[in-house]
């Protein structure tokens, strides 16, 4: 059990190892961006990688497990409201930071960050360490991912408009073909491929991570070729980090104290805080590559920074919560949450 926690949540590390790989990919794209024929090949491979990712998400997601959690509907609605209502409202409010703190392009990425679904694995791991309601965290993350497949692109089209690189009928068709169709295909074929995916989970996890790195390389290569990185000065980057720190602090406070006002117990409040205050890098990066096209590099920068920030801050909170006096119900919850589960976010980058 201790090894599983170490892999799922490197809370003792100041920096997530996979973030280092992402940073290395960005540096590689800056030094050796794909151009010409290489760019076409990388773009085609990235498109295939996105489709593969969402096929695997669909094939891994146990719909039955998600539906079993409907009995705790108040908690799940609270998490969904935080993820797809409160977060987007705060993202819209960030428009007031333009042009003083953020550029329009960075603000679009900041807003997109607020539209991405919640994490799954890291939320489960944090909830488990803090002795919260682990089954609720599993279901809440699953519902958020399912909802995000449809709602995130629709919200992006509604709230970002032409800022996101031009949302059109063609863009929506790409979303359906690259995201929704593979996901539904994975769900349909789950009964036949689910066992294979479970047996080869470690290898397929490397495939997932490699696919996301390819998406990042392609997006940042396009940004380098287009010459858009001159827009990100150190002052702008510092302003973005400050805005994201405020965003995370607000959501952590709202999910914790708001859940208490709504009458949730300690275990449920922990699940709500960790599932309702975080955003999925694994889901957001592929979506951004489809939604933003050549502008994806600036669009995913806020999400990448927020991801590392949320891991570091939530690791500290989870450790503190773990030192709270442990009621009998918490031990029962932890025993119930120790059973392996299937989920669509297969890496800690979720």
């Amino acid at each position: 059990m201790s090894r599983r926690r170490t892999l799922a949540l490197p809370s003792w590390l100041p920096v997530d190892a996979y973030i280092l790989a992402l940073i290395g990919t960005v540096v590689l794209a800056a030094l050796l961006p794909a151009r010409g024929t290489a760019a076409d090949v990388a773009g085609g491979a990235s498109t295939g990688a996105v489709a593969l990712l969402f096929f695997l998400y669909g094939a891994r997601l146990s719909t039955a497990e998600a539906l079993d959690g409907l009995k705790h509907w108040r908690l799940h609605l609270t998490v969904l409201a935080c993820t797809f209502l409160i977060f987007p409202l705060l993202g819209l409010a960030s428009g007031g930071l333009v042009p003083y703190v953020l550029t329009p392009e960075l603000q679009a990425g900041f807003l997109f960050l607020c539209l991405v679904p919640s994490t799954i694995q890291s939320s489960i791991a944090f909830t488990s360490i803090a002795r919260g309601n682990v089954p609720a965290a599993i279901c809440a993350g699953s519902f958020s991912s399912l909802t995000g497949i449809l709602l995130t692109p629709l919200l992006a089209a509604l709230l970002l408009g032409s800022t996101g690189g031009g949302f059109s009928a063609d863009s929506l068709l790409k979303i359906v073909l690259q995201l929704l169709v593979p996901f539904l295909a994975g769900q349909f074929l789950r009964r036949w491929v689910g066992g294979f995916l479970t047996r080869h989970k470690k290898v397929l996890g490397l495939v997932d991570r490699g696919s996301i790195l390819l998406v990042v390389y392609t997006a940042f290569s396009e940004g380098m070729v287009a010459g858009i990185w001159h827009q990100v000065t150190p002052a702008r980057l510092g302003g973005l980090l400050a805005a994201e720190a405020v965003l995370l602090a607000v959501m952590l406070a709202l999910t914790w104290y708001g859940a208490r006002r709504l009458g949730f117990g300690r275990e449920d409040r922990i699940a709500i805080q960790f599932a309702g205050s975080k955003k999925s890098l694994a889901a957001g990066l592929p979506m951004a590559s489809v939604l933003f096209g050549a502008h994806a590099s600036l669009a995913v920068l806020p999400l990448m920074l927020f991801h590392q920030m949320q891991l570091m801050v939530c690791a500290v909170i989870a450790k503190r919560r773990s030192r709270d006096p442990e009621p009998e119900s918490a031990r029962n919850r932890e025993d119930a949450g120790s059973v392996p589960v299937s989920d669509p976010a297969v890496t800690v980058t979720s």
Side-chain angles (χ1 to χ4, degrees):
M1 180 71 179
S2 61
R3 183 187 175 194
R4 185 176 179 184
R5 283 186 178 178
T6 301
L7 292 173
L9 179 63
S11 58
W12 48 272
L13 288 173
V15 179
D16 179 15
Y18 193 62
I19 284 292
L20 295 179
L22 288 169
I23 294 173
T25 303
V26 173
V27 173
L28 177 63
L31 298 176
L32 297 171
R35 300 175 184 272
T37 302
D40 294 335
V41 173
S46 177
T47 299
V50 170
L52 175 62
L53 279 172
F54 278 82
F55 172 81
L56 293 175
Y57 292 168
R60 289 189 182 99
L61 178 61
S62 173
T63 307
E65 287 177 355
L67 292 177
D68 286 342
L70 284 175
K71 58 185 179 182
H72 213 347
W73 60 271
R74 287 183 64 247
L75 184 148
H76 302 315
L77 284 180
T78 300
V79 172
L80 289 176
C82 291
T83 304
F84 297 112
L85 180 60
I86 298 177
F87 253 116
L89 289 175
L90 293 175
L92 287 173
S94 70
L97 300 177
V98 179
Y100 310 104
V101 178
L102 302 177
T103 64
E105 292 78 12
L106 285 177
Q107 195 273 331
F110 188 93
L111 177 53
F112 174 73
L113 147 71
C114 295
L115 308 181
V116 171
S118 178
T119 64
I120 297 183
Q121 278 197 348
S122 54
S123 292
I124 295 169
F126 284 128
T127 301
S128 177
I129 287 176
R131 300 196 317 272
N133 189 338
V134 175
I138 295 169
C139 294
S142 299
F143 291 149
S144 179
S145 294
L146 276 172
T147 305
I149 295 293
L150 291 174
L151 196 55
T152 296
L154 292 177
L155 286 174
L158 177 65
L159 301 180
L160 287 168
S162 59
T163 306
F167 290 95
S168 60
D170 182 63
S171 299
L172 294 177
L173 180 60
K174 287 181 179 179
I175 292 167
V176 171
L177 293 179
Q178 293 186 43
L179 305 183
L180 185 57
V181 171
F183 179 84
L184 294 177
Q187 279 280 284
F188 178 75
L189 296 174
R190 173 179 165 76
R191 63 166 63 185
W192 295 286
V193 303
F196 174 84
L197 296 179
T198 300
R199 291 191 300 272
H200 299 85
K201 183 176 181 180
K202 184 175 181 180
V203 174
L204 291 173
L206 296 176
V207 172
D208 287 355
R209 295 185 178 209
S211 298
I212 293 174
L213 291 177
L214 176 59
V215 170
V216 171
Y217 174 75
T218 303
F220 278 83
S221 289
E222 292 177 346
M224 287 298 299
V225 173
I228 62 175
W229 280 102
H230 67 277
Q231 304 173 31
V232 186
T233 64
R236 295 295 190 184
L237 187 60
L240 174 62
L241 288 171
E244 292 190 337
V246 172
L247 175 68
L248 181 60
V250 169
M251 289 307 302
L252 286 171
L254 282 177
T255 50
W256 182 252
Y257 295 106
R260 183 169 67 181
R261 291 293 299 270
L262 291 174
F264 289 101
R266 176 189 177 276
E267 299 167 41
D268 290 345
R269 289 166 64 196
I270 289 173
I272 290 171
Q273 183 176 53
F274 290 131
S277 65
K278 299 183 24 269
K279 292 294 184 176
S280 173
L281 187 72
L285 286 176
M287 287 183 179
S289 70
V290 177
L291 296 171
F292 290 89
H295 301 275
S297 54
L298 281 182
V300 301
L301 180 62
L303 179 60
M304 291 174 61
L305 295 175
F306 187 82
H307 169 80
Q308 180 58 37
M309 187 182 297
Q310 71 186 12
L311 283 182
M312 296 174 67
V313 173
C314 289
V316 174
I317 293 175
K319 286 182 178 179
R320 290 190 176 184
R321 299 263 188 260
S322 69
R323 294 193 289 266
D324 292 344
E326 182 178 8
E328 181 67 27
S329 58
R331 288 192 291 271
N332 295 336
R333 291 286 193 186
E334 186 169 349
D335 291 339
S338 62
V339 180
V341 296
S342 300
D343 62 71
V346 296
T347 71
V348 75
T349 62
S350 63

